[in-house]
Amino acid sequence: NAGVTQTPKFRVLKTGQSMTLLCAQDMNHEYMYWYRQDPGMGLRLIHYSVGEGTTAKGEVPDGYNVSRLKKQNFLLGLESAAPSQTSVYFCASSYSKRVGGDTQYFGPGTRLTVL
Amino acid sequence: SQQGEEDPQALSIQEGENATMNCSYKTSINNLQWYRQNSGRGLVHLILIRSNEREKHSGRLRVTLDTSKKSSSLLITASRAADTASYFCATDEIAAGNKLTFGGGTRVLVKP
């Protein structure tokens, strides 16, 4: 099993450009999450999904959109990138709480720089 | 604001010593989890302690939870250079639904 994978690993954007980050998991997890991590800080939740076709806002959703068209994939979009979105983005997934899913499995991260 | 706040922010110890870090939180929780992050990598789950548990062990890790003080501690015994990493607590808040809230982390350096 590959676990949680993220593409791309690195990206540099200019202000105003758009891009999509892809997260894929092969563990049949119900829940998926997008976080951002800024230097020396913990993770802040951007958006999350508790099932295919559903998404919800996290702590810092502004400037981002997400889609969960397939259970195994969770996409994070930046429509008009800003320097404040320079960060490392982590995707995570977990089983649903209905089946005792408590722990999250993380991808390796995407390092995004917005100039 | 962050639910979990960790203390200290950074810790430097010699190999073989114990490392202790603390996490405080503000609201009622279902469980508290500790994760580890090696430099430039994703987080890896270490241990979970439920709100009705007071202490849990996993290998060289010992976690305690005091719900009356809303605090938890992570002890790494007989540390190794490979334990050098950042350690994060994450709380599963009762009112938050299906998400975790992460603290700012403790950076641990184990010197050989």
Side-chain angles (χ1 to χ4, degrees), chain A residues 7-110:
Chain A
T7 52
K9 289 184 169 54
F10 303 94
R11 186 73 185 269
V12 179
L13 290 178
K14 293 181 180 178
T15 297
Q17 287 185 318
S18 64
M19 77 163 294
T20 300
L21 283 68
L22 172 63
C23 175
Q25 52 92 6
D26 61 2
M27 296 174 281
N28 201 34
H29 284 168
E30 199 74 30
Y31 298 171
M32 295 187 75
Y33 308 83
W34 274 109
Y35 295 91
R36 61 177 287 172
Q37 184 179 35
D38 297 306
M41 295 181 66
L43 277 69
R44 291 186 291 169
L45 183 65
I46 304 171
H47 286 281
Y48 64 104
S49 168
V50 298
E52 184 177 321
T54 71
T55 62
K57 294 180 180 179
E59 183 186 354
V60 289
D62 293 342
Y64 305 95
N65 57 74
V66 288
S67 64
R68 182 98 181 270
L69 298 180
K70 293 183 179 181
K71 186 177 183 178
Q72 63 268 35
N73 295 339
F74 195 29
L75 278 63
L76 177 71
L78 286 73
E79 289 187 349
S80 179
S84 60
Q85 293 177 304
T86 293
S87 189
V88 181
Y89 292 85
F90 289 99
C91 177
S93 68
S94 71
Y95 289 109
S96 76
K97 286 200 169 183
R98 293 189 308 276
V99 295
D102 294 304
T103 64
Q104 295 184 10
Y105 297 78
F106 282 81
T110 294

Side-chain angles (χ1 to χ4, degrees), chain B residues 24-74:
Chain B
S24 60
Y25 59 92
K26 297 174 184 173
T27 64
S28 297
I29 60 172
N30 293 309
N31 63 70
L32 185 146
Q33 304 175 33
W34 287 90
Y35 288 79
R36 165 192 168 129
Q37 183 181 36
N38 289 88
S39 181
R41 309 288 290 273
L43 277 70
V44 175
H45 180 259
L46 293 176
I47 195 166
L48 178 153
I49 187 164
R50 300 196 184 278
S51 59
N52 61 352
E53 298 175 311
R54 291 298 166 258
E55 186 171 314
K56 205 161 183 180
H57 297 253
S58 177
R60 293 183 296 111
L61 304 180
R62 172 178 168 255
V63 170
T64 63
L65 179 64
D66 186 334
T67 53
S68 66
K69 294 181 180 178
K70 292 187 170 55
S71 67
S72 173
S73 68
L74 172 66

Side-chain angles (χ1 to χ4, degrees), chain B residues 81-105:
Chain B
D83 294 327
T84 293
S86 291
Y87 294 82
F88 294 90
C89 69
T91 49
D92 179 353
E93 302 170 39
I94 290 174
N98 304 305
K99 48 190 188 289
L100 298 176
T101 304
F102 286 82

